[in-house]
Amino acid sequence: MGLGEYALMGVTHPTELRAIMNFAIWRDVRDIKAESEWVTTYYDRPTMKKCWEYLDLTSRSFARVIGELEGDLARTVCIFYVVLRALDTVEDDMTIPNSTKLPLLRSFHEKLYEKGWTFHESKEKDKIVLEEFDNIQQEFSTLEPAYQTIIADIAKKMGRGMADFAALATPEQPVAEVDSIADYDLYCHYVAGVVGEGLSRLFAASGKEREFIADQLTLSNSMGLLLQKTNIFRDIHEDVLEGRGFWPKAIWSKYGFNSMKELIDPSREKEALWASSEMVLDALRHATDALDYMTLLKCQSVFNFVAIPAVMAIATLERTFMNPKILKGNVKIRKGETVKLILKATNPRDVSYIFKDYARRIHAKVHKEDPNLLKLSIACAKIDQWAEHHYPSFINISGAGSGQAGSAIDPTSNDARAALFLRLSKEAQEKLRKERSEKFMADLRARGVIKERSPEEEAAIKAKYDEMEKQGAPWLMIIGIILGVIALMGAMGAGVIWVIVKFFNDVSGNWDFDADSR
């Protein structure tokens, strides 16, 4: 970005410019190239340096979040990513015939153990990861056996799943269409859901996360599907032009389309936007699972690695929702907005509020004629409800940055729950005060400071007080006390006057003023 673009941002989106400045000044970014980091990143090793370069070439966004993972986990995930990037490149390349592609996809996991293997028949932009796969294989072989097992297992699942879908293609239709929503979910599971599973297993194996994270298959799958479906939705124009089509036929056929190519026809923009609306609806159903998954993470760098792509996904869905530009080209969120989200996505509460905010923006864009109006309203409300249930907005958090975070109910909130919580809190405090008072009195009785009275004594005292209440106030005694006080005050006043007069006379008698004296 040039100086002029930053100046324009300062006028149109000042908070985003401020976020970029804060990021540049205050954000601590791990430098994997630094010599102090070589002990875990192995950037000084030629083959590992190549792997880091492959990662940066194929995905700049993921390269940044992967590089900031703690310790050797960054290197492990880097290798995991470039292995799957190589596998994905085989699947994406429409120039590779199925006679070559299918066997290679199904056996790709075996190439991880085949020293020196490379592939030079791809024409994809990321073909370097196949042509120089021997560098990736070399680094894979140096990983701990537990990591190798996980990566090879995920590559096996992904490759076989990709092959099953690629096998449905025909010469007349080079790209197999995804028919039902179930097929769409299964395809996204193979290309992204298993990635989420693999990452969870790597997190657990590294010790950075608790062991049970490895078993969260449903939530891990949903994390992957949210990201994958966002990319599939956003990349509609590019995919159609390159002969790929991943929007399920069950969605676009509802709106009178016979093929995916018709979706980018300018004359049918309205129907295409209705179809795109349903694609967003389908992606949103994974949002709350993704939020659930993030609440389970305890390592900050792992949380950042998961949360940053997630908030980018929900922001992308909002930016592309009912946006006709996606039918004509690629639509991305602004750089300043990206940086702002990175700075904010540091804990589950703030991430849930980001999701809630963008869900409300999506809901605000829903057209009254949209066939999915009601379903979209419910989907957005579920995200809002999740955030309010787990992190109520009427509770203020203070001191979070100092490590001594505290919470308090906002007394000015109009939320009915705030009044209820305040009342319950007051009742609980009163109950506690009463219990402490009773405990204190019981202790005094036990020590003999306060003597216990017999039932007869208690009854006599009670009868005495009851009799006094019946008789009313002792007015004569009260009047006598008042008159006595008045008489006492009068006597004291008279005494003071006498003392003053006596003292004045004595003093004046000692002075003899002579008018003629000089």
Side-chain angles (χ1 to χ4, degrees):
M1 293 179 68
L3 186 60
E5 291 176 297
Y6 281 115
L8 180 62
M9 183 188 299
V11 175
T12 57
H13 301 94
T15 58
E16 293 180 12
L17 179 61
R18 180 183 178 185
I20 290 176
M21 294 172 63
N22 286 340
F23 186 90
I25 297 171
W26 303 112
R27 175 82 171 185
D28 291 328
V29 179
R30 183 187 185 192
D31 183 7
I32 60 170
K33 302 177 184 179
E35 187 173 350
S36 59
E37 299 288 349
W38 288 356
V39 67
T40 55
T41 65
Y42 292 96
Y43 197 83
D44 57 325
R45 196 157 61 197
T47 50
M48 190 61 221
K49 182 179 179 180
K50 282 285 187 180
C51 289
W52 285 114
E53 290 174 355
Y54 301 150
L55 177 64
D56 197 48
L57 283 171
T58 56
S59 178
R60 280 182 166 270
S61 56
F62 271 109
R64 290 181 179 180
V65 291
I66 290 173
E68 293 191 28
L69 286 167
E70 293 180 15
D72 68 337
L73 186 58
R75 172 177 172 261
T76 303
V77 174
C78 170
I79 296 170
F80 180 52
Y81 183 90
V82 293
V83 166
L84 299 186
R85 179 75 266 170
L87 181 57
D88 195 50
T89 302
V90 174
E91 187 222 12
D92 285 346
D93 197 333
M94 297 296 104
T95 66
I96 302 174
N98 273 1
S99 58
T100 300
K101 178 184 288 188
L102 300 185
L104 180 55
L105 289 173
R106 290 196 171 102
S107 64
F108 192 85
H109 62 285
E110 298 172 0
K111 309 305 179 185
L112 292 170
Y113 301 97
E114 190 175 322
K115 190 174 182 179
W117 180 85
T118 57
F119 184 79
H120 296 270
E121 299 177 33
S122 175
K123 294 180 175 59
E124 278 288 293
K125 61 181 180 179
D126 296 331
K127 62 182 181 178
I128 189 172
V129 292
L130 291 169
E131 294 175 343
E132 298 182 10
F133 192 79
D134 52 339
N135 291 324
I136 299 173
Q137 191 280 329
Q138 173 63 30
E139 285 303 317
F140 171 82
S141 67
T142 65
L143 291 175
E144 294 181 13
Y147 292 154
Q148 291 187 32
T149 299
I150 294 169
I151 295 173
D153 183 48
I154 296 303
K156 181 179 179 180
K157 291 179 179 179
M158 179 182 285
R160 291 184 175 182
M162 287 177 169
D164 289 344
F165 275 90
L168 300 175
T170 63
E172 296 76 23
Q173 189 172 334
V175 180
E177 290 181 344
V178 179
D179 289 327
S180 65
I181 299 297
D183 289 339
Y184 183 45
D185 284 346
L186 183 59
Y187 172 75
C188 291
H189 167 72
Y190 284 136
V191 299
V194 293
V195 180
E197 175 191 335
L199 287 169
S200 292
R201 290 167 65 182
L202 290 175
F203 296 156
S206 70
K208 299 291 189 296
E209 292 295 341
R210 292 160 288 190
E211 291 184 5
F212 74 86
I213 289 292
D215 301 321
Q216 302 302 313
L217 302 183
T218 299
L219 299 185
S220 300
N221 183 65
S222 289
M223 279 297 315
L225 264 60
L226 175 63
L227 304 186
Q228 182 65 22
K229 289 184 175 183
T230 299
N231 290 337
I232 287 175
F233 169 65
R234 181 197 61 195
D235 296 339
I236 174 64
H237 185 263
E238 178 186 340
D239 285 345
V240 169
L241 292 182
E242 295 186 8
R244 294 187 295 266
F246 301 112
W247 285 25
K249 186 176 180 180
I251 288 180
W252 50 259
S253 63
K254 287 183 184 179
Y255 305 96
F257 295 101
N258 296 312
S259 70
M260 284 198 64
K261 290 183 180 179
E262 297 177 9
L263 286 165
I264 61 174
D265 182 352
S267 65
R268 306 193 63 184
E269 183 179 282
K270 183 178 180 180
E271 293 82 0
L273 287 177
W274 295 150
S276 73
S277 171
E278 190 164 344
M279 288 292 293
V280 172
L281 172 63
D282 181 75
L284 287 176
R285 64 189 172 94
H286 304 292
T288 53
D289 273 357
L291 291 170
D292 279 332
Y293 180 81
M294 285 182 274
T295 63
L296 303 178
L297 302 175
K298 68 180 182 67
C299 175
Q300 186 63 57
S301 69
V302 171
F303 180 86
N304 293 345
F305 171 81
V306 175
I308 291 172
V311 295
M312 298 304 171
I314 193 70
T316 300
L317 287 175
E318 184 274 330
R319 186 58 46 81
T320 51
F321 179 70
M322 294 303 291
N323 187 345
K325 291 181 179 179
I326 68 166
L327 305 173
K328 304 168 187 176
N330 203 341
V331 177
K332 295 182 178 181
I333 57 178
R334 297 183 301 273
K335 181 179 179 180
E337 187 175 5
T338 297
V339 173
K340 194 174 178 180
L341 290 172
I342 291 173
L343 291 174
K344 193 171 183 181
T346 57
N347 60 77
R349 182 178 185 269
D350 286 345
V351 168
S352 72
Y353 280 19
I354 291 172
F355 269 61
K356 180 174 73 171
D357 179 48
Y358 280 107
R360 289 181 174 183
R361 294 188 198 181
I362 290 172
H363 185 252
K365 289 183 178 182
V366 179
H367 197 277
K368 63 181 180 180
E369 295 179 3
D370 194 326
N372 301 295
L373 169 63
L374 181 59
K375 291 180 180 179
L376 279 164
S377 299
I378 293 172
C380 293
K382 283 182 177 179
I383 296 173
D384 203 312
Q385 182 186 42
W386 191 99
E388 279 296 321
H389 173 74
H390 289 81
Y391 307 104
S393 57
F394 62 85
I395 296 181
N396 294 328
I397 306 296
S398 61
S402 63
Q404 304 252 344
S407 62
I409 295 170
D410 181 4
T412 63
S413 174
N414 293 324
D415 195 306
R417 295 172 298 172
L420 175 62
F421 271 96
L422 288 171
R423 180 173 64 80
L424 293 175
S425 176
K426 184 177 180 180
E427 290 177 355
Q429 290 176 0
E430 182 61 27
K431 181 181 178 183
L432 181 61
R433 186 198 63 76
K434 186 176 180 181
E435 289 175 351
R436 286 177 177 174
S437 176
E438 291 176 352
K439 183 179 179 181
F440 177 71
M441 295 301 293
D443 181 60
L444 291 178
R445 293 189 188 97
R447 291 161 55 186
V449 177
I450 297 178
K451 295 182 179 180
E452 293 286 348
R453 296 189 182 97
S454 65
E456 292 77 12
E457 290 174 329
E458 291 286 352
I461 293 172
K462 186 176 184 303
K464 182 178 179 181
Y465 279 108
D466 289 344
E467 183 64 26
M468 290 174 64
E469 288 181 359
K470 290 178 182 178
Q471 292 177 358
W475 295 110
L476 291 177
M477 183 177 69
I478 293 173
I479 292 171
I481 292 173
I482 293 173
L483 293 176
V485 170
I486 292 173
L488 178 61
M489 291 176 66
M492 290 176 65
V496 170
I497 293 171
W498 180 84
V499 170
I500 292 172
V501 172
K502 175 72 175 171
F503 178 76
F504 179 77
N505 289 334
D506 290 346
V507 171
S508 61
N510 294 329
W511 290 88
D512 183 13
F513 289 98
D514 186 350
D516 296 328
S517 63
R518 298 288 185 267

